[in-house]
Amino acid sequence: MNKPSQPFLLRLTSSQLPNWLVGVLTCVFFVLLQALVFEIEGIRHSYSLYSTTFFFILTTGYLVFISRIINNNHEKGFFKLLSCTKLNESKKQDHIQEFHDQKLSWKEMLIPICIGLLHGFFVNGASFSFKEVPYPFLKVYSIIQILIIWIMIWQSTSTYLRNMTKMNRLSRAIEIDILNTEQLMPLTSAGVISILAFVGVYTILFIESIDSIELYNPALLPLIPSIVWMVVTPLSGVRKRIISAKELEIGLIEKGIEGDKKALEKSRIGNNLENINVVDLMTYKRLITATPEIPINIPTASRFIFYLIIPFFTWVAASIVDKAIDYLIG
Protein backbone atom coordinates (compact mmCIF):
# COMPACT_ATOMS: atom_id res chain seq x y z
CA MET A 1 0.00 0.00 0.00
CA ASN A 2 1.47 3.34 -1.10
CA LYS A 3 1.85 6.08 1.49
CA PRO A 4 -0.83 8.76 0.93
CA SER A 5 0.54 12.15 -0.09
CA GLN A 6 -0.83 15.63 0.52
CA PRO A 7 -0.35 18.95 -1.26
CA PHE A 8 2.21 21.33 0.26
CA LEU A 9 -0.58 23.56 1.59
CA LEU A 10 -1.83 20.76 3.86
CA ARG A 11 1.65 19.55 4.78
CA LEU A 12 2.26 22.94 6.39
CA THR A 13 -0.30 22.08 9.10
CA SER A 14 0.57 18.40 9.51
CA SER A 15 2.74 19.10 12.58
CA GLN A 16 1.68 19.19 16.22
CA LEU A 17 1.37 22.99 16.12
CA PRO A 18 -2.18 24.40 16.24
CA ASN A 19 -3.54 25.34 12.81
CA TRP A 20 -4.08 28.97 13.80
CA LEU A 21 -0.47 29.26 14.97
CA VAL A 22 0.85 27.94 11.65
CA GLY A 23 -1.33 30.52 9.89
CA VAL A 24 0.05 33.30 12.10
CA LEU A 25 3.64 32.13 11.54
CA THR A 26 2.99 32.17 7.79
CA CYS A 27 1.92 35.81 8.03
CA VAL A 28 5.00 36.64 10.14
CA PHE A 29 7.29 34.94 7.62
CA PHE A 30 6.04 37.08 4.74
CA VAL A 31 6.20 40.28 6.82
CA LEU A 32 9.85 39.51 7.59
CA LEU A 33 10.49 38.65 3.94
CA GLN A 34 9.05 41.98 2.88
CA ALA A 35 11.20 43.75 5.48
CA LEU A 36 14.24 42.06 3.95
CA VAL A 37 13.24 43.26 0.49
CA PHE A 38 12.86 46.81 1.85
CA GLU A 39 16.33 46.59 3.38
CA ILE A 40 17.86 45.38 0.12
CA GLU A 41 16.15 48.16 -1.84
CA GLY A 42 16.88 50.80 0.80
CA ILE A 43 13.17 51.57 1.24
CA ARG A 44 12.05 53.29 4.43
CA HIS A 45 10.02 51.02 6.69
CA SER A 46 6.55 52.50 7.22
CA TYR A 47 3.06 51.24 8.00
CA SER A 48 1.63 52.65 4.75
CA LEU A 49 4.11 50.68 2.63
CA TYR A 50 3.59 47.46 4.57
CA SER A 51 -0.19 47.88 4.36
CA THR A 52 -0.04 47.57 0.56
CA THR A 53 0.58 43.82 0.96
CA PHE A 54 -1.79 43.16 3.88
CA PHE A 55 -4.26 41.38 1.59
CA PHE A 56 -1.55 38.96 0.42
CA ILE A 57 -0.19 38.38 3.93
CA LEU A 58 -3.59 37.85 5.57
CA THR A 59 -4.86 35.68 2.71
CA THR A 60 -1.87 33.32 2.78
CA GLY A 61 -2.14 32.89 6.54
CA TYR A 62 -5.90 32.40 6.32
CA LEU A 63 -5.66 29.80 3.53
CA VAL A 64 -3.03 27.82 5.44
CA PHE A 65 -5.30 27.80 8.50
CA ILE A 66 -8.68 27.20 6.85
CA SER A 67 -7.48 24.55 4.38
CA ARG A 68 -6.66 22.17 7.22
CA ILE A 69 -9.99 22.92 8.95
CA ILE A 70 -11.94 22.20 5.76
CA ASN A 71 -9.93 19.07 4.95
CA ASN A 72 -10.47 17.69 8.48
CA ASN A 73 -14.21 18.34 8.12
CA HIS A 74 -14.25 16.50 4.79
CA GLU A 75 -12.40 13.57 6.35
CA LYS A 76 -14.87 13.41 9.24
CA GLY A 77 -17.80 13.47 6.80
CA PHE A 78 -16.17 10.80 4.64
CA PHE A 79 -15.94 8.37 7.56
CA LYS A 80 -19.57 9.10 8.52
CA LEU A 81 -20.61 8.14 5.00
CA LEU A 82 -18.39 5.07 5.12
CA SER A 83 -20.10 3.88 8.30
CA CYS A 84 -23.47 3.99 6.50
CA THR A 85 -22.35 1.68 3.69
CA LYS A 86 -22.53 -2.09 3.63
CA LEU A 87 -19.17 -2.49 1.92
CA ASN A 88 -16.78 -5.20 3.07
CA GLU A 89 -13.53 -4.27 4.80
CA SER A 90 -11.46 -4.60 1.64
CA LYS A 91 -13.68 -2.15 -0.28
CA LYS A 92 -13.69 0.23 2.67
CA GLN A 93 -9.90 0.24 2.80
CA ASP A 94 -9.76 0.97 -0.92
CA HIS A 95 -12.00 4.01 -0.43
CA ILE A 96 -9.96 5.18 2.57
CA GLN A 97 -6.71 4.86 0.62
CA GLU A 98 -8.21 6.75 -2.30
CA PHE A 99 -9.52 9.54 -0.08
CA HIS A 100 -6.23 10.06 1.74
CA ASP A 101 -4.21 10.16 -1.48
CA GLN A 102 -4.41 13.87 -2.36
CA LYS A 103 -1.34 14.14 -4.55
CA LEU A 104 -1.42 16.87 -7.19
CA SER A 105 0.59 16.14 -10.33
CA TRP A 106 3.31 18.56 -11.44
CA LYS A 107 1.48 18.92 -14.75
CA GLU A 108 -1.59 20.17 -12.94
CA MET A 109 0.49 22.67 -10.96
CA LEU A 110 1.81 24.16 -14.21
CA ILE A 111 -1.62 25.77 -14.67
CA PRO A 112 -1.56 28.08 -11.61
CA ILE A 113 2.15 28.74 -12.13
CA CYS A 114 1.57 29.94 -15.70
CA ILE A 115 -1.50 31.98 -14.70
CA GLY A 116 0.32 33.47 -11.71
CA LEU A 117 3.39 34.48 -13.75
CA LEU A 118 1.26 36.03 -16.49
CA HIS A 119 -0.83 37.87 -13.90
CA GLY A 120 2.30 39.05 -12.07
CA PHE A 121 4.00 40.36 -15.19
CA PHE A 122 0.79 42.00 -16.36
CA VAL A 123 0.39 43.84 -13.04
CA ASN A 124 4.05 44.87 -12.88
CA GLY A 125 4.59 45.57 -16.56
CA ALA A 126 4.99 43.19 -19.47
CA SER A 127 8.78 43.22 -19.11
CA PHE A 128 11.45 44.97 -17.14
CA SER A 129 15.17 44.81 -16.52
CA PHE A 130 16.98 45.33 -13.24
CA LYS A 131 18.76 48.38 -14.68
CA GLU A 132 15.72 50.25 -16.01
CA VAL A 133 13.08 49.78 -13.29
CA PRO A 134 13.35 51.30 -9.79
CA TYR A 135 13.17 48.78 -6.96
CA PRO A 136 13.53 45.66 -9.16
CA PHE A 137 13.68 43.29 -6.18
CA LEU A 138 10.38 44.70 -4.94
CA LYS A 139 8.90 44.08 -8.40
CA VAL A 140 10.12 40.49 -8.35
CA TYR A 141 8.71 40.03 -4.85
CA SER A 142 5.36 41.41 -6.05
CA ILE A 143 5.30 38.81 -8.86
CA ILE A 144 6.18 36.08 -6.36
CA GLN A 145 3.28 37.17 -4.13
CA ILE A 146 0.79 36.87 -6.99
CA LEU A 147 2.26 33.51 -7.98
CA ILE A 148 1.99 32.17 -4.42
CA ILE A 149 -1.65 33.29 -4.13
CA TRP A 150 -2.57 31.52 -7.37
CA ILE A 151 -0.80 28.31 -6.31
CA MET A 152 -2.48 28.32 -2.89
CA ILE A 153 -5.94 28.98 -4.34
CA TRP A 154 -5.43 26.23 -6.92
CA GLN A 155 -4.15 23.70 -4.39
CA SER A 156 -6.93 24.39 -1.90
CA THR A 157 -9.74 24.40 -4.49
CA SER A 158 -8.41 21.27 -6.20
CA THR A 159 -8.13 19.47 -2.87
CA TYR A 160 -11.67 20.41 -1.78
CA LEU A 161 -13.17 19.30 -5.09
CA ARG A 162 -11.25 16.02 -5.08
CA ASN A 163 -12.39 15.30 -1.52
CA MET A 164 -16.02 16.05 -2.32
CA THR A 165 -15.94 14.03 -5.55
CA LYS A 166 -14.62 11.03 -3.61
CA MET A 167 -17.32 11.50 -0.97
CA ASN A 168 -19.97 11.65 -3.68
CA ARG A 169 -18.62 8.47 -5.24
CA LEU A 170 -18.70 6.71 -1.85
CA SER A 171 -22.29 7.86 -1.23
CA ARG A 172 -23.45 5.78 -4.22
CA ALA A 173 -22.79 2.71 -2.07
CA ILE A 174 -25.40 3.95 0.43
CA GLU A 175 -28.97 2.84 -0.20
CA ILE A 176 -31.38 5.80 -0.16
CA ASP A 177 -33.63 5.73 2.90
CA ILE A 178 -36.41 8.32 2.50
CA LEU A 179 -36.99 8.41 6.24
CA ASN A 180 -33.30 8.88 6.96
CA THR A 181 -31.74 11.21 4.40
CA GLU A 182 -29.73 12.54 7.36
CA GLN A 183 -27.12 9.88 6.58
CA LEU A 184 -26.24 11.85 3.42
CA MET A 185 -25.85 15.15 5.28
CA PRO A 186 -22.01 14.98 5.20
CA LEU A 187 -22.25 15.72 1.47
CA THR A 188 -24.15 18.96 2.05
CA SER A 189 -21.97 19.92 5.02
CA ALA A 190 -18.81 19.37 2.97
CA GLY A 191 -20.02 21.78 0.30
CA VAL A 192 -21.15 24.41 2.80
CA ILE A 193 -17.94 24.46 4.82
CA SER A 194 -15.84 24.52 1.63
CA ILE A 195 -17.16 27.97 0.75
CA LEU A 196 -15.47 29.28 3.90
CA ALA A 197 -12.24 29.53 1.92
CA PHE A 198 -13.84 31.87 -0.62
CA VAL A 199 -15.92 33.77 1.93
CA GLY A 200 -12.85 34.38 4.10
CA VAL A 201 -10.75 35.68 1.21
CA TYR A 202 -13.52 38.05 0.11
CA THR A 203 -13.98 39.21 3.70
CA ILE A 204 -10.28 40.12 3.81
CA LEU A 205 -10.75 41.85 0.45
CA PHE A 206 -13.43 44.12 1.97
CA ILE A 207 -11.37 44.71 5.12
CA GLU A 208 -8.56 45.90 2.88
CA SER A 209 -10.87 48.76 1.82
CA ILE A 210 -10.90 47.86 -1.86
CA ASP A 211 -13.65 50.21 -3.00
CA SER A 212 -16.69 48.31 -1.76
CA ILE A 213 -19.04 50.65 -3.61
CA GLU A 214 -17.72 49.32 -6.92
CA LEU A 215 -19.69 46.10 -6.83
CA TYR A 216 -18.82 45.53 -10.50
CA ASN A 217 -15.19 45.01 -9.43
CA PRO A 218 -13.86 41.98 -11.46
CA ALA A 219 -12.57 40.43 -8.22
CA LEU A 220 -16.20 39.79 -7.24
CA LEU A 221 -17.16 37.95 -10.44
CA PRO A 222 -15.88 34.46 -9.43
CA LEU A 223 -17.62 34.57 -6.02
CA ILE A 224 -21.09 33.22 -6.92
CA PRO A 225 -19.88 30.61 -9.50
CA SER A 226 -17.28 29.34 -7.01
CA ILE A 227 -19.86 28.98 -4.23
CA VAL A 228 -22.29 27.18 -6.55
CA TRP A 229 -19.49 24.89 -7.75
CA MET A 230 -18.50 23.98 -4.20
CA VAL A 231 -22.06 23.23 -3.09
CA VAL A 232 -23.13 21.32 -6.20
CA THR A 233 -20.04 19.05 -6.54
CA PRO A 234 -20.65 16.76 -3.52
CA LEU A 235 -24.40 16.54 -4.28
CA SER A 236 -24.03 15.58 -7.94
CA GLY A 237 -26.62 12.88 -8.71
CA VAL A 238 -27.91 12.69 -5.12
CA ARG A 239 -31.09 14.67 -5.88
CA LYS A 240 -32.01 12.33 -8.73
CA ARG A 241 -31.53 9.30 -6.49
CA ILE A 242 -33.74 10.79 -3.75
CA ILE A 243 -36.44 11.78 -6.27
CA SER A 244 -36.38 8.27 -7.74
CA ALA A 245 -36.70 6.71 -4.27
CA LYS A 246 -39.59 9.07 -3.40
CA GLU A 247 -41.46 8.23 -6.59
CA LEU A 248 -41.02 4.52 -5.97
CA GLU A 249 -42.22 4.80 -2.35
CA ILE A 250 -45.22 6.99 -3.26
CA GLY A 251 -46.18 4.49 -5.98
CA LEU A 252 -46.18 1.66 -3.44
CA ILE A 253 -48.21 3.75 -0.96
CA GLU A 254 -50.84 4.55 -3.58
CA LYS A 255 -51.18 0.85 -4.36
CA GLY A 256 -51.56 0.22 -0.63
CA ILE A 257 -54.28 2.87 -0.38
CA GLU A 258 -56.09 1.09 -3.19
CA GLY A 259 -55.95 -2.14 -1.19
CA ASP A 260 -52.81 -3.83 -2.53
CA LYS A 261 -51.18 -4.90 0.75
CA LYS A 262 -48.61 -6.99 -1.13
CA ALA A 263 -47.13 -3.83 -2.69
CA LEU A 264 -46.69 -2.27 0.76
CA GLU A 265 -44.46 -5.16 1.79
CA LYS A 266 -41.80 -3.70 -0.55
CA SER A 267 -42.08 -0.23 0.95
CA ARG A 268 -40.08 1.39 3.76
CA ILE A 269 -42.82 0.43 6.25
CA GLY A 270 -43.13 -3.13 4.96
CA ASN A 271 -42.33 -4.64 8.35
CA ASN A 272 -44.98 -2.63 10.24
CA LEU A 273 -48.27 -3.30 8.47
CA GLU A 274 -50.26 -5.01 11.25
CA ASN A 275 -52.46 -2.09 12.34
CA ILE A 276 -51.97 0.34 9.47
CA ASN A 277 -55.02 1.89 7.79
CA VAL A 278 -55.78 4.21 4.87
CA VAL A 279 -55.51 7.34 7.03
CA ASP A 280 -52.04 6.26 8.20
CA LEU A 281 -51.02 5.64 4.60
CA MET A 282 -52.23 9.06 3.50
CA THR A 283 -50.29 10.70 6.36
CA TYR A 284 -47.22 8.68 5.42
CA LYS A 285 -47.61 9.75 1.78
CA ARG A 286 -47.65 13.41 2.79
CA LEU A 287 -44.50 12.82 4.87
CA ILE A 288 -42.67 11.26 1.92
CA THR A 289 -43.85 13.99 -0.46
CA ALA A 290 -42.54 16.67 1.92
CA THR A 291 -39.10 15.04 2.20
CA PRO A 292 -36.47 17.47 0.77
CA GLU A 293 -34.90 16.32 -2.47
CA ILE A 294 -31.47 17.23 -1.19
CA PRO A 295 -30.11 16.23 2.23
CA ILE A 296 -30.40 19.42 4.28
CA ASN A 297 -31.49 20.49 7.75
CA ILE A 298 -32.08 23.83 9.46
CA PRO A 299 -28.62 24.14 11.12
CA THR A 300 -26.82 23.50 7.81
CA ALA A 301 -29.08 25.92 5.90
CA SER A 302 -28.58 28.57 8.59
CA ARG A 303 -24.82 28.11 8.48
CA PHE A 304 -24.83 28.45 4.68
CA ILE A 305 -26.74 31.74 4.83
CA PHE A 306 -24.51 33.03 7.62
CA TYR A 307 -21.35 32.30 5.64
CA LEU A 308 -22.75 34.14 2.63
CA ILE A 309 -23.54 37.32 4.54
CA ILE A 310 -20.17 37.56 6.32
CA PRO A 311 -18.54 39.61 3.50
CA PHE A 312 -21.57 41.91 3.36
CA PHE A 313 -21.44 42.54 7.11
CA THR A 314 -17.71 43.20 6.79
CA TRP A 315 -18.37 45.72 4.04
CA VAL A 316 -21.04 47.50 6.13
CA ALA A 317 -18.85 47.52 9.25
CA ALA A 318 -15.84 48.83 7.30
CA SER A 319 -17.97 51.58 5.76
CA ILE A 320 -19.34 52.63 9.15
CA VAL A 321 -15.85 52.74 10.69
CA ASP A 322 -14.52 54.64 7.67
CA LYS A 323 -17.28 57.24 7.89
CA ALA A 324 -16.84 57.55 11.68
CA ILE A 325 -13.11 58.20 11.29
CA ASP A 326 -13.75 60.77 8.54
CA TYR A 327 -16.29 62.49 10.80
CA LEU A 328 -13.93 62.59 13.78
CA ILE A 329 -11.00 63.83 11.70
CA GLY A 330 -13.15 66.38 9.87
Side-chain angles (χ1 to χ4, degrees):
M1 184 178 293
N2 297 326
K3 184 179 179 181
S5 60
Q6 292 184 322
F8 180 74
L9 184 59
L10 289 178
R11 290 204 299 270
L12 286 172
T13 50
S14 59
S15 66
Q16 298 299 318
L17 293 176
N19 300 330
W20 65 267
L21 181 57
V22 179
V24 170
L25 291 175
T26 301
C27 294
V28 171
F29 170 79
F30 283 112
V31 169
L32 295 176
L33 186 59
Q34 182 165 339
L36 177 61
V37 172
F38 282 3
E39 283 293 324
I40 294 173
E41 295 283 19
I43 300 173
R44 182 175 58 88
H45 299 272
S46 66
Y47 174 81
S48 59
L49 291 177
Y50 278 98
S51 65
T52 59
T53 59
F54 275 179
F55 175 71
F56 165 77
I57 292 171
L58 292 175
T59 298
T60 51
Y62 174 77
L63 285 176
V64 168
F65 163 72
I66 203 65
S67 293
R68 173 55 64 180
I69 299 297
I70 293 174
N71 188 74
N72 287 351
N73 179 273
H74 287 175
E75 184 173 4
K76 182 179 178 181
F78 172 82
F79 279 101
K80 281 185 178 180
L81 291 173
L82 191 65
S83 67
C84 296
T85 67
K86 297 180 180 179
L87 298 173
N88 58 41
E89 285 303 314
S90 176
K91 290 288 186 182
K92 286 184 177 181
Q93 287 302 318
D94 288 342
H95 278 284
I96 293 173
Q97 176 72 14
E98 180 193 28
F99 182 81
H100 283 156
D101 188 6
Q102 299 168 317
K103 183 179 180 181
L104 304 179
S105 69
W106 65 269
K107 293 180 180 179
E108 181 181 350
M109 291 311 301
L110 285 177
I111 299 174
I113 290 173
C114 291
I115 295 174
L117 289 175
L118 288 173
H119 185 183
F121 278 105
F122 177 78
V123 169
N124 291 278
S127 63
F128 64 86
S129 69
F130 274 58
K131 295 180 179 179
E132 297 174 356
V133 177
Y135 308 124
F137 286 101
L138 188 59
K139 288 282 187 180
V140 171
Y141 179 60
S142 177
I143 294 174
I144 292 174
Q145 285 182 339
I146 295 173
L147 177 61
I148 290 174
I149 285 291
W150 273 105
I151 291 175
M152 293 183 74
I153 290 175
W154 186 276
Q155 281 202 356
S156 57
T157 303
S158 179
T159 301
Y160 305 155
L161 291 175
R162 287 170 189 263
N163 286 351
M164 292 187 291
T165 300
K166 293 169 186 176
M167 292 173 69
N168 180 274
R169 192 154 52 238
L170 175 63
S171 71
R172 297 169 194 169
I174 300 175
E175 185 177 349
I176 298 294
D177 183 353
I178 298 299
L179 297 182
N180 186 25
T181 56
E182 188 78 15
Q183 62 186 348
L184 296 173
M185 274 300 301
L187 296 174
T188 309
S189 298
V192 170
I193 197 170
S194 294
I195 71 174
L196 264 180
F198 292 95
V199 169
V201 170
Y202 279 94
T203 300
I204 296 171
L205 189 68
F206 286 127
I207 291 174
E208 271 292 280
S209 297
I210 291 178
D211 195 352
S212 304
I213 298 174
E214 295 180 0
L215 296 180
Y216 54 82
N217 190 312
L220 301 177
L221 295 179
L223 180 59
I224 300 302
S226 299
I227 289 174
V228 172
W229 193 16
M230 285 294 173
V231 174
V232 168
T233 296
L235 294 172
S236 177
V238 172
R239 181 173 178 271
K240 290 182 179 179
R241 292 179 62 207
I242 293 178
I243 290 175
S244 178
K246 285 177 63 175
E247 291 175 347
L248 177 61
E249 189 73 4
I250 289 172
L252 295 174
I253 296 169
E254 289 176 344
K255 289 181 180 179
I257 292 174
E258 294 171 358
D260 187 355
K261 294 286 186 177
K262 289 285 186 180
L264 283 177
E265 293 177 0
K266 301 177 183 178
S267 74
R268 176 66 171 76
I269 57 174
N271 295 325
N272 299 282
L273 301 176
E274 294 83 0
N275 299 314
I276 201 164
N277 55 45
V278 173
V279 175
D280 294 331
L281 290 176
M282 293 178 68
T283 302
Y284 178 54
K285 180 182 177 181
R286 285 195 294 270
L287 175 64
I288 297 299
T289 302
T291 300
E293 294 171 355
I294 57 172
I296 193 167
N297 54 27
I298 293 176
T300 302
S302 302
R303 193 177 298 118
F304 177 70
I305 295 172
F306 176 71
Y307 290 165
L308 291 184
I309 62 178
I310 287 176
F312 175 75
F313 280 160
T314 304
W315 170 42
V316 172
S319 298
I320 292 172
V321 171
D322 201 36
K323 286 180 172 55
I325 292 175
D326 288 342
Y327 175 78
L328 292 173
I329 294 176

